[in-house]
Amino acid sequence: MPKLTMVQAINLALREEMARDERVVLLGEDIGVDGGVFRVTDGLLDQFGPGRVMDTPLAESAILGSAIGMALAGLRPVAEMQFSGFSYLMFHQWEGNATRYRSRTQGQHTCPLVVRMPYGGGVRALEHHSESREAVYAHVPGGKVVMPSGPRNARALLLSAIRDPDPVIFMEPKHSYRSFREEVPEAEEVQPLGQAQVVQAGDDLTVVGWGAMMRPLLKAAEEIKTADGPSLEIIDLLTISPLDSATICASVRKTGRCVIVQEAPRSYSVASEIIARINDDALLYLEAPVKRLAGYDVVTPYFGREKNYIAPVPRIVRAMRETLAY
Amino acid sequence: MPKLTMVQAINLALREEMARDERVVLLGEDIGVDGGVFRVTDGLLDQFGPGRVMDTPLAESAILGSAIGMALAGLRPVAEMQFSGFSYLMFHQWEGNATRYRSRTQGQHTCPLVVRMPYGGGVRALEHHSESREAVYAHVPGGKVVMPSGPRNARALLLSAIRDPDPVIFMEPKHSYRSFREEVPEAEEVQPLGQAQVVQAGDDLTVVGWGAMMRPLLKAAEEIKTADGPSLEIIDLLTISPLDSATICASVRKTGRCVIVQEAPRSYSVASEIIARINDDALLYLEAPVKRLAGYDVVTPYFGREKNYIAPVPRIVRAMRETLAY
Amino acid sequence: MPRQTLAEFTIESLQVLDEDGRVDAALEPALEPEELLRLYRGMSRARELDQRMLKLQRQGRIGTFGPCIGQEAVSTAAALAMRPDDWFIGSFRELGGRLMRGEPMVNTLHFHNGWEEGNVLPPEVGRRMLPLTIIVGSQVPHAAGLGYAAKHRGEDAAVVCFMGDGATSEGDFHEGLNFAAVWQAPVVFVSQNNQWAISVPREKQTHSRTLAQKGIAYDMPCLQVDGNDALACYVAVSEALARARAGGGPTFIEAVTYRLMMHTTADDPRKYRDETQEQEWWRKEPLLRFRQYLIGKKLWNEKQEEALLAELRAEVDTAVKAFEEAAAWPPDRPFEHVFATMHPALAQQRQEFLAHVKEEADA
Amino acid sequence: MPRQTLAEFTIESLQVLDEDGRVDAALEPALEPEELLRLYRGMSRARELDQRMLKLQRQGRIGTFGPCIGQEAVSTAAALAMRPDDWFIGSFRELGGRLMRGEPMVNTLHFHNGWEEGNVLPPEVGRRMLPLTIIVGSQVPHAAGLGYAAKHRGEDAAVVCFMGDGATSEGDFHEGLNFAAVWQAPVVFVSQNNQWAISVPREKQTHSRTLAQKGIAYDMPCLQVDGNDALACYVAVSEALARARAGGGPTFIEAVTYRLMMHTTADDPRKYRDETQEQEWWRKEPLLRFRQYLIGKKLWNEKQEEALLAELRAEVDTAVKAFEEAAAWPPDRPFEHVFATMHPALAQQRQEFLAHVKEEADA
Ligand SMILES: Cc1ncc(C[n+]2csc(CCOP(=O)(O)OP(=O)(O)O)c2C)c(N)n1
Ligand SMILES: Cc1ncc(C[n+]2csc(CCOP(=O)(O)OP(=O)(O)O)c2C)c(N)n1
Ligand SMILES: [Mg+2]
Ligand SMILES: [Mg+2]
């Protein structure tokens, strides 16, 4: 099995699916000749030609809007938002059209499409290039939100997302684009949407994370393991919406304790919903309040300060210890 | 004290504040000659002239975008989105500019402006005219979200919103626009943002609501009172963000039980955040899971079905009884 | 060389039938009598259904809707110019075109009474026609994408996309036209300039003399037509479709017409416009003029007119009857159409929902 | 009457200094020697700072930034044409203009090193100049609102708003121009057409022959200027400002220039463009040409040039020193600027934050 970065793994998934299904087309800013500002689509223009890999004008609403048209016409567009911070220019097309054609026409017209977008901080980028706002998309019915955490699941989930009959927001942790490699099977591997993954089983504490926070979270878990010996159950959400609360609640019913680690601001966030689901289905098992280790409710600071604002490993360790000791 | 509808009360607030502060200007689609599609701005063009009451072209992003320019220049714009369902066309201006000028310039430039928008269902309107998506705005730092529930607080909160030095989304429950009247003091009355109101004190159950749901919620509370005799503490949120969790958690620490009644879809919603706050600060006092009586995670149905989808009084009564009996 | 002319542009206007139904023979399209009658019938059907819906709405039998009265020519003529495999992407004043394309009247009624079921069209009709667009202008980029898809697959189908005058102010209008032009996609954009966007008159909507000239921003062939002249509309859309199919890319057409009624039944135009303006435009309305033309061609007479009206009244009666007698649809269908497959949490919500609805019905 | 011409439009282009610095005397603006020298100095300052920042960035001493090299003329000349009470609304390639307006170099450096403090300008500079706009095109409607406010209050201040060629594809560009035109607001829109939007060449960005013609959509006076000719830029912006102040409404100017460097330091143009194109444009770059002009006027010579470069190098050295020696700012300032008043839940988050940061620093 070759060891790939997430950029390579996503590129692989796109390449595989374009080869398998000629309905798949890519569109976005700088994705063709340039291969994407992160090189995620590198080489695809050469392989599949300009009819299937389109450098579009600079207009996010029309990128999604025209992708909706293509999907309605039977293509399978995969659109790129250059950064999730610019995806709000198409939010009305998402909320008002992509997520609604199925319900509006009771299935007569549908929008099978994917919107890929790098999200999150930690790469010393300019304003608007570091946000993590998955909650905004997660609240909108009719669309799915997927956030891979590593090369292998990124590839397997993207394949599922492209094949999904409904629109999917696919948020890629840009901080993890090249920061590590993973073995990715050569044979096609798909991973179903809507299912969280228990990446480590344990009894004392449930830890939930997703996307770029999985790496520091796993490191923190290592530290805890060596030092204190408690047994952690670690869950990687993978799909944010629809949320796999069954997996989370089953775990919390077992451990009685839970820490949620998230990059986004705390209030009205994905962590809030997870707590609400635990309240619904596992409240009586809780031995401590669920802990949200989240971003703060501030406007995303410029990168000079950002390292203080995204929970580093020691902060996660402390949150775990506090919850274990509660 | 005259008895006013919410439409009249909001009109009064705009009129008062425009008379008091000449920096206040209004802009939006059909707000001038037509007086707004709900007549909220009726008569203001005549009184204040076209320089201060502007019928704009049909473009939501430029309505907020130009309002941002006006605010940066020292005016106090109050922009109307004709329906909250069309506000997503300006979401990038909200997320990317209105809510950020203060932090971006550390206070050198600010955006004191209000975006008024009718929201919510129950008026037999076309698609996109019935949504309740306050959670989307509440998650974005740097902006406030206010939702009045009646004529009197609508007037008093709108005055505060216009005077606030920061941008405010002011979501008006269109279902309550004309459905009842309230006494509104002739003398100016302002109500601070960021404070929930305990509209009825009680010991057995905390009930939290806001906006259009306050009416059925209060009716349900009446029914419970007569029939079963438990004592309810009823909280009207009024400001969604920043959330007054102190008031909610103090109440829950007293009652041990809580029902949240909301129109919006359940997942990733305001109710979720309230539960998370209770988890943070009052978990150990809970005698039952917090109950979310919310909309469903479906695309807002057309109005032929909507009455089944917005919790009617009996459904609220049942939720209260269940939580009391838990 | 220093201050020099770089480019010159001209905007033309087209009228074939004047306000009294007199035809400009040089410009008259070569339509068969059967086609001319179909066009007239199409416009008349829309007029009849609109008028009935106005009554139904006042009686509370349907919800709010926006009548198309006065604007029948544009979309009906476009539908005549189109082929069945062309995409028809409307805004919300294309009743004539929708009916011509085969939308059953009963669907229109269900839609306007708040049921998604109204959008579910017979397969051959729905295949290339989308429901009304409520988010003004948001359909314009869709049209670019539909056109791209047709071109990409080597179909010679094209797209006709309608929007109002107000819609030209939205960013999506601009972005959609730009994409279509860059792709040279086979799309005909038709702006129904009915002079009003709710209460905002055309002159306050945008500072340009014409809407047609907005096509210049994309070097797109553009034209203003008399939108109350069904023949001019037919000619303009036909030319544009032919160019689109021949690989000549998109066209932008401004069709000048007038909204003779209220914006929607929730609106009261007396708040913002003068009735004399309406009266002037009633004299220029499209059916009158087309009828004169047909009569002049000896294709039509009083008796035929009466027979047609009676027939249409009966057709609408039948549709209204079917509409009002339709069996109730289950309340929980929205759960089924969030996603292709219902996820477990939603299935549970549906159970709760159904239990609630049952209890509330029993109470 | 049936097929008739409704309107005609012409797009003109303007050049005052040709590529060799030869001036068209008929068009030469009446600028004092002092002003000409100020303009040259302004452009040179930007060039010097940009070049230094490129080095700093490669050494990891500042973050990603987008150089303006080759585009100095447009914004610097505009700044010369502007009054202090005019609003300067930039995109991100207006370093020359920003410095001319008084932005301290140290601010530019702090900004590009990820500190909001870089945006906090001396009050008299910041009063009518906003920070860089990162969301492409989103500043355009702001300019319409700023212009409206000036007009509404009877000031005769105007607004100059810059955007790139790529920005003209965004809906906000269109909406902002439309609003400004409807309001006849005193705004000068200047699109720096530097031929590229990252990797996308101008021809793929939009199908129109010129960008200037996009102003026709709003019946706005529009003009293409040689954006590497500082005099042409000065003349065009001055004329437009005069018209704006006189109540003549907004203008749209396309300034044709070239991005000589990478899009930002994170970009590699070799992926998508030919170096010969760059080389051609290096011959047409604005400083060279303006220097020739000054030398021809006997306002400049080799020695002065050397002295200027030495002086600017020293100025940049000083700024870099101040930048690198700046005392660290507190980590929690972002909490203070969410709202004018900190709400209790946020105050509590700040306490937690500070405790974390302290513990992590101590560890
Ligand atoms: C994005 C958006 N904003 C506002 C509205 C509310 N609205 C519905 S129709 C309309 C006016 C449309 O005018 P125009 O485009 O000229 O079409 P017409 O109604 O005249 O056919 C408005 C403002 C909407 N539906 N969508
Ligand atoms: C809304 C938005 N989309 C995408 C980007 C990413 N981006 C930054 S600059 C740029 C190209 C801008 O091109 P142009 O307007 O020509 O300006 P230039 O960089 O050439 O000065 C892009 C795509 C962005 N900043 N904002
Ligand atoms: Mg109109
Ligand atoms: Mg450019």
mmCIF file of all heavy atoms in Angstrom, chain C residues 19-44:
data_model
loop_
_atom_site.group_PDB
_atom_site.id
_atom_site.type_symbol
_atom_site.label_atom_id
_atom_site.label_comp_id
_atom_site.label_asym_id
_atom_site.label_seq_id
_atom_site.Cartn_x
_atom_site.Cartn_y
_atom_site.Cartn_z
ATOM 1 N N GLU C 19 -49.282 47.665 -32.041
ATOM 2 C CA GLU C 19 -50.288 47.593 -30.978
ATOM 3 C C GLU C 19 -51.698 47.319 -31.490
ATOM 4 O O GLU C 19 -52.571 46.923 -30.730
ATOM 5 C CB GLU C 19 -50.239 48.879 -30.143
ATOM 6 C CG GLU C 19 -48.936 48.924 -29.366
ATOM 7 C CD GLU C 19 -48.588 50.305 -28.825
ATOM 8 O OE1 GLU C 19 -49.498 51.125 -28.678
ATOM 9 O OE2 GLU C 19 -47.393 50.525 -28.561
ATOM 10 N N ASP C 20 -51.905 47.543 -32.779
ATOM 11 C CA ASP C 20 -53.224 47.256 -33.341
ATOM 12 C C ASP C 20 -53.247 45.943 -34.109
ATOM 13 O O ASP C 20 -54.194 45.654 -34.825
ATOM 14 C CB ASP C 20 -53.648 48.416 -34.255
ATOM 15 C CG ASP C 20 -53.737 49.724 -33.482
ATOM 16 O OD1 ASP C 20 -54.293 49.692 -32.357
ATOM 17 O OD2 ASP C 20 -53.220 50.749 -33.958
ATOM 18 N N GLY C 21 -52.185 45.188 -33.973
ATOM 19 C CA GLY C 21 -52.180 43.883 -34.620
ATOM 20 C C GLY C 21 -51.741 43.927 -36.071
ATOM 21 O O GLY C 21 -51.864 42.936 -36.787
ATOM 22 N N ARG C 22 -51.234 45.083 -36.524
ATOM 23 C CA ARG C 22 -50.729 45.174 -37.899
ATOM 24 C C ARG C 22 -49.339 44.557 -37.954
ATOM 25 O O ARG C 22 -48.470 44.867 -37.146
ATOM 26 C CB ARG C 22 -50.644 46.637 -38.336
ATOM 27 C CG ARG C 22 -51.964 47.185 -38.887
ATOM 28 C CD ARG C 22 -51.767 48.599 -39.420
ATOM 29 N NE ARG C 22 -51.257 49.485 -38.372
ATOM 30 C CZ ARG C 22 -51.998 50.369 -37.700
ATOM 31 N NH1 ARG C 22 -53.291 50.519 -37.973
ATOM 32 N NH2 ARG C 22 -51.458 51.119 -36.756
ATOM 33 N N VAL C 23 -49.150 43.707 -38.969
ATOM 34 C CA VAL C 23 -47.904 42.965 -39.017
ATOM 35 C C VAL C 23 -46.910 43.647 -39.961
ATOM 36 O O VAL C 23 -47.309 44.239 -40.967
ATOM 37 C CB VAL C 23 -48.171 41.508 -39.444
ATOM 38 C CG1 VAL C 23 -48.595 41.450 -40.913
ATOM 39 C CG2 VAL C 23 -46.953 40.624 -39.191
ATOM 40 N N ASP C 24 -45.655 43.556 -39.631
ATOM 41 C CA ASP C 24 -44.594 43.987 -40.542
ATOM 42 C C ASP C 24 -44.240 42.773 -41.387
ATOM 43 O O ASP C 24 -43.583 41.842 -40.919
ATOM 44 C CB ASP C 24 -43.399 44.462 -39.725
ATOM 45 C CG ASP C 24 -42.280 44.984 -40.611
ATOM 46 O OD1 ASP C 24 -41.994 44.359 -41.653
ATOM 47 O OD2 ASP C 24 -41.704 46.021 -40.240
ATOM 48 N N ALA C 25 -44.698 42.798 -42.621
ATOM 49 C CA ALA C 25 -44.611 41.599 -43.450
ATOM 50 C C ALA C 25 -43.172 41.125 -43.616
ATOM 51 O O ALA C 25 -42.915 39.921 -43.693
ATOM 52 C CB ALA C 25 -45.256 41.876 -44.816
ATOM 53 N N ALA C 26 -42.243 42.066 -43.651
ATOM 54 C CA ALA C 26 -40.839 41.693 -43.846
ATOM 55 C C ALA C 26 -40.306 40.857 -42.692
ATOM 56 O O ALA C 26 -39.363 40.090 -42.851
ATOM 57 C CB ALA C 26 -39.984 42.942 -44.014
ATOM 58 N N LEU C 27 -40.894 41.035 -41.545
ATOM 59 C CA LEU C 27 -40.368 40.371 -40.354
ATOM 60 C C LEU C 27 -41.233 39.199 -39.900
ATOM 61 O O LEU C 27 -40.864 38.467 -38.979
ATOM 62 C CB LEU C 27 -40.266 41.385 -39.205
ATOM 63 C CG LEU C 27 -39.290 42.545 -39.411
ATOM 64 C CD1 LEU C 27 -39.483 43.589 -38.325
ATOM 65 C CD2 LEU C 27 -37.850 42.036 -39.408
ATOM 66 N N GLU C 28 -42.382 39.045 -40.548
ATOM 67 C CA GLU C 28 -43.344 38.026 -40.103
ATOM 68 C C GLU C 28 -42.730 36.631 -40.197
ATOM 69 O O GLU C 28 -42.220 36.243 -41.228
ATOM 70 C CB GLU C 28 -44.599 38.109 -40.984
ATOM 71 C CG GLU C 28 -45.741 37.255 -40.489
ATOM 72 C CD GLU C 28 -46.980 37.430 -41.373
ATOM 73 O OE1 GLU C 28 -46.859 38.037 -42.458
ATOM 74 O OE2 GLU C 28 -48.050 36.955 -40.952
ATOM 75 N N PRO C 29 -42.773 35.880 -39.139
ATOM 76 C CA PRO C 29 -42.193 34.539 -39.193
ATOM 77 C C PRO C 29 -43.091 33.599 -40.006
ATOM 78 O O PRO C 29 -44.303 33.792 -40.071
ATOM 79 C CB PRO C 29 -42.156 34.102 -37.727
ATOM 80 C CG PRO C 29 -43.236 34.880 -37.068
ATOM 81 C CD PRO C 29 -43.329 36.186 -37.799
ATOM 82 N N ALA C 30 -42.474 32.595 -40.580
ATOM 83 C CA ALA C 30 -43.213 31.647 -41.421
ATOM 84 C C ALA C 30 -43.844 30.566 -40.559
ATOM 85 O O ALA C 30 -43.386 29.435 -40.519
ATOM 86 C CB ALA C 30 -42.258 31.028 -42.445
ATOM 87 N N LEU C 31 -44.886 30.940 -39.850
ATOM 88 C CA LEU C 31 -45.565 29.956 -38.994
ATOM 89 C C LEU C 31 -46.790 29.421 -39.710
ATOM 90 O O LEU C 31 -47.507 30.158 -40.382
ATOM 91 C CB LEU C 31 -45.963 30.610 -37.672
ATOM 92 C CG LEU C 31 -44.832 30.825 -36.668
ATOM 93 C CD1 LEU C 31 -45.266 31.785 -35.567
ATOM 94 C CD2 LEU C 31 -44.395 29.492 -36.072
ATOM 95 N N GLU C 32 -47.054 28.146 -39.538
ATOM 96 C CA GLU C 32 -48.261 27.536 -40.090
ATOM 97 C C GLU C 32 -49.471 28.062 -39.332
ATOM 98 O O GLU C 32 -49.382 28.370 -38.142
ATOM 99 C CB GLU C 32 -48.214 26.015 -39.886
ATOM 100 C CG GLU C 32 -47.075 25.312 -40.581
ATOM 101 C CD GLU C 32 -47.179 25.437 -42.087
ATOM 102 O OE1 GLU C 32 -48.318 25.343 -42.621
ATOM 103 O OE2 GLU C 32 -46.130 25.678 -42.739
ATOM 104 N N PRO C 33 -50.628 28.095 -40.002
ATOM 105 C CA PRO C 33 -51.857 28.486 -39.285
ATOM 106 C C PRO C 33 -52.041 27.686 -38.002
ATOM 107 O O PRO C 33 -52.371 28.242 -36.955
ATOM 108 C CB PRO C 33 -52.964 28.166 -40.300
ATOM 109 C CG PRO C 33 -52.299 28.294 -41.626
ATOM 110 C CD PRO C 33 -50.863 27.881 -41.431
ATOM 111 N N GLU C 34 -51.768 26.415 -38.098
ATOM 112 C CA GLU C 34 -51.941 25.562 -36.900
ATOM 113 C C GLU C 34 -51.085 26.076 -35.748
ATOM 114 O O GLU C 34 -51.509 26.105 -34.589
ATOM 115 C CB GLU C 34 -51.597 24.112 -37.285
ATOM 116 C CG GLU C 34 -51.653 23.113 -36.146
ATOM 117 C CD GLU C 34 -50.341 23.035 -35.342
ATOM 118 O OE1 GLU C 34 -49.248 23.180 -35.953
ATOM 119 O OE2 GLU C 34 -50.414 22.878 -34.106
ATOM 120 N N GLU C 35 -49.872 26.490 -36.082
ATOM 121 C CA GLU C 35 -48.964 26.979 -35.029
ATOM 122 C C GLU C 35 -49.454 28.305 -34.461
ATOM 123 O O GLU C 35 -49.398 28.556 -33.254
ATOM 124 C CB GLU C 35 -47.547 27.141 -35.589
ATOM 125 C CG GLU C 35 -46.876 25.806 -35.895
ATOM 126 C CD GLU C 35 -45.563 25.974 -36.653
ATOM 127 O OE1 GLU C 35 -45.571 26.631 -37.732
ATOM 128 O OE2 GLU C 35 -44.538 25.453 -36.160
ATOM 129 N N LEU C 36 -49.927 29.167 -35.360
ATOM 130 C CA LEU C 36 -50.432 30.465 -34.891
ATOM 131 C C LEU C 36 -51.612 30.252 -33.939
ATOM 132 O O LEU C 36 -51.727 30.908 -32.901
ATOM 133 C CB LEU C 36 -50.870 31.325 -36.078
ATOM 134 C CG LEU C 36 -49.711 31.804 -36.977
ATOM 135 C CD1 LEU C 36 -50.269 32.499 -38.225
ATOM 136 C CD2 LEU C 36 -48.788 32.747 -36.210
ATOM 137 N N LEU C 37 -52.449 29.310 -34.291
ATOM 138 C CA LEU C 37 -53.623 29.062 -33.452
ATOM 139 C C LEU C 37 -53.203 28.430 -32.127
ATOM 140 O O LEU C 37 -53.782 28.711 -31.077
ATOM 141 C CB LEU C 37 -54.623 28.163 -34.191
ATOM 142 C CG LEU C 37 -55.264 28.862 -35.404
ATOM 143 C CD1 LEU C 37 -56.105 27.869 -36.208
ATOM 144 C CD2 LEU C 37 -56.114 30.054 -34.965
ATOM 145 N N ARG C 38 -52.189 27.593 -32.199
ATOM 146 C CA ARG C 38 -51.714 26.980 -30.964
ATOM 147 C C ARG C 38 -51.151 28.054 -30.023
ATOM 148 O O ARG C 38 -51.361 28.029 -28.816
ATOM 149 C CB ARG C 38 -50.627 25.948 -31.298
ATOM 150 C CG ARG C 38 -50.198 25.091 -30.145
ATOM 151 C CD ARG C 38 -49.974 23.638 -30.555
ATOM 152 N NE ARG C 38 -49.071 23.521 -31.690
ATOM 153 C CZ ARG C 38 -47.726 23.458 -31.590
ATOM 154 N NH1 ARG C 38 -47.146 23.484 -30.401
ATOM 155 N NH2 ARG C 38 -46.988 23.347 -32.665
ATOM 156 N N LEU C 39 -50.468 29.008 -30.619
ATOM 157 C CA LEU C 39 -49.912 30.101 -29.827
ATOM 158 C C LEU C 39 -51.037 30.920 -29.177
ATOM 159 O O LEU C 39 -51.001 31.232 -27.986
ATOM 160 C CB LEU C 39 -49.040 30.971 -30.741
ATOM 161 C CG LEU C 39 -48.309 32.180 -30.179
ATOM 162 C CD1 LEU C 39 -47.542 31.829 -28.910
ATOM 163 C CD2 LEU C 39 -47.340 32.739 -31.238
ATOM 164 N N TYR C 40 -52.033 31.217 -29.959
ATOM 165 C CA TYR C 40 -53.148 32.004 -29.407
ATOM 166 C C TYR C 40 -53.871 31.230 -28.314
ATOM 167 O O TYR C 40 -54.201 31.766 -27.260
ATOM 168 C CB TYR C 40 -54.122 32.392 -30.526
ATOM 169 C CG TYR C 40 -55.233 33.260 -29.998
ATOM 170 C CD1 TYR C 40 -54.955 34.520 -29.483
ATOM 171 C CD2 TYR C 40 -56.558 32.800 -29.984
ATOM 172 C CE1 TYR C 40 -55.972 35.312 -28.967
ATOM 173 C CE2 TYR C 40 -57.579 33.585 -29.472
ATOM 174 C CZ TYR C 40 -57.280 34.840 -28.964
ATOM 175 O OH TYR C 40 -58.276 35.619 -28.444
ATOM 176 N N ARG C 41 -54.067 29.973 -28.593
ATOM 177 C CA ARG C 41 -54.736 29.115 -27.607
ATOM 178 C C ARG C 41 -53.899 29.035 -26.319
ATOM 179 O O ARG C 41 -54.435 29.114 -25.211
ATOM 180 C CB ARG C 41 -54.893 27.726 -28.213
ATOM 181 C CG ARG C 41 -55.655 26.774 -27.343
ATOM 182 C CD ARG C 41 -55.565 25.343 -27.891
ATOM 183 N NE ARG C 41 -56.260 24.474 -26.966
ATOM 184 C CZ ARG C 41 -57.576 24.286 -26.994
ATOM 185 N NH1 ARG C 41 -58.318 24.874 -27.908
ATOM 186 N NH2 ARG C 41 -58.158 23.502 -26.092
ATOM 187 N N GLY C 42 -52.612 28.919 -26.489
ATOM 188 C CA GLY C 42 -51.723 28.834 -25.329
ATOM 189 C C GLY C 42 -51.823 30.074 -24.454
ATOM 190 O O GLY C 42 -51.937 29.991 -23.223
ATOM 191 N N MET C 43 -51.793 31.221 -25.085
ATOM 192 C CA MET C 43 -51.899 32.465 -24.307
ATOM 193 C C MET C 43 -53.273 32.560 -23.637
ATOM 194 O O MET C 43 -53.394 32.984 -22.488
ATOM 195 C CB MET C 43 -51.668 33.670 -25.220
ATOM 196 C CG MET C 43 -50.265 33.687 -25.845
ATOM 197 S SD MET C 43 -49.840 35.286 -26.594
ATOM 198 C CE MET C 43 -50.820 35.248 -28.083
ATOM 199 N N SER C 44 -54.290 32.124 -24.368
ATOM 200 C CA SER C 44 -55.648 32.209 -23.816
ATOM 201 C C SER C 44 -55.839 31.260 -22.638
ATOM 202 O O SER C 44 -56.536 31.570 -21.676
ATOM 203 C CB SER C 44 -56.677 31.876 -24.906
ATOM 204 O OG SER C 44 -56.529 32.747 -25.998
#
